[in-house]
Amino acid sequence: MSQPTTHAKPETPVTGWRRHLEPARERMPGVLICITIALATTFIAEHYGGPTLLYALLFGMTLHFLSEQGPCLVGVEFAARTILRLGVALLGVRITLEQVAELGIGPVVTVVAGVVLTILAGSVLARLLGLKNDLGLLTGGSVAICGASAALALSAAMPRNEIAERNTILTVVGVTTLSTAAMVLYPLLVGALELTDTQAGIFLGGTIHDVAQVVGAGYMISDETGDISTFVKLLRVAMLVPAVMVFMLLFRRARGGEGGKVPMFPSFLVAFVVLVLINSLGVIPQVMVEGMTDLSRWCLVTAIAALGIKTSFQKLAVVGWKPVILMVAETVFLLGLVLVCLYTGIAEW
């Protein structure tokens, strides 16, 4: 007697609104891990001091195994790319055209010269040290503009591969460490050089890498120095737009006929410029500006945690000391250039 045949019930395809939720479900575990790291490192930095981005990076690196396989992989990749670009775009609410105009021509000339020449110096020094030109451009841009934030923004404009991600991690670690050291040492140098409050503001804003460290060092001296150093630093941040555009053109040509061309005008760069213009009109309420600034910071901390997860200590160890020497040399170069502009009077035109 034959047994009745049973047919397996076919899987019901995911349709409608549930189909749109599937990508979010896949990303959720990895994104939640990165957010958790961001929360933990922010708490530590606020209560015990130290750079939040560096903490997030190091915490993420201890969880590198999550990027090898498993449910967190998709979310970590999403945080390292999409959330990163959102954070960079939101930096635009910190800048207005009026702030740039108030500085006068001298600080503008100093900042533009500092950014252009430091990036070029990074390229030359990298070749002298036997390093790739990509690393020299990335570190030079990060030192010249706004530290870790610039490293993330510029790397987003460069071709993506394993070496590029490792270079980004190295740059973030290096500029964050150097910026923290500068916050402590540069105010002492200001006293030794007997700079006025105005000169001190231009010096600190034109040389220290990260915004937070500029603010800390400036107001450590005086309120006037703090205000001027912040404005000069925001001008350097504004240079991120032309720098990213140049990187886009440069690496688009460098890749030539390869597949996967780098887009000419990425959405995050367009959003950055639009926010600067809107913020310059004064139509964004201050409460919203502060909220978007906080959101930008959280996005960047979350993204740097994801980049940390994607990088192992072993991969960093094989690089050696040459990148460290490169970033220190770029920092000293920028320091000397700004001092020359101050003592020749260019910075105070």
Side-chain angles (χ1 to χ4, degrees), residues 8 13 24 55 64 68 74 76 92 110 117 130 142 147 162 170 175 206 214 219 223-224 237 240 247 278 280 320:
Y55 288 158
H64 172 67
E68 301 290 345
V74 176
V76 169
T110 301
L117 294 178
S142 303
E162 185 177 341
L170 283 168
V175 296
V214 169
Y219 287 105
D223 287 344
E224 183 182 355
V237 175
L240 190 61
F247 271 51
I278 294 175
S280 300

Side-chain angles (χ1 to χ4, degrees), residues 37-103:
I37 294 173
L39 288 168
T41 53
T42 299
F43 176 85
I44 292 171
E46 288 179 351
H47 288 77
Y48 299 99
T52 306
L53 287 176
L54 184 58
Y55 288 158
L57 182 61
L58 296 176
F59 271 57
M61 290 171 68
T62 64
L63 299 175
H64 172 67
F65 66 91
L66 295 176
S67 69
E68 301 290 345
Q69 57 184 352
C72 294
L73 184 58
V74 176
V76 169
E77 189 66 32
F78 177 79
R81 295 196 180 193
T82 304
I83 293 180
L84 162 63
R85 289 184 166 105
L86 175 61
V88 171
L90 290 173
L91 287 173
V93 299
R94 296 162 62 168
I95 307 167
T96 65
L97 297 177
E98 183 182 358
Q99 288 174 335
V100 175
E102 285 178 353
L103 291 171

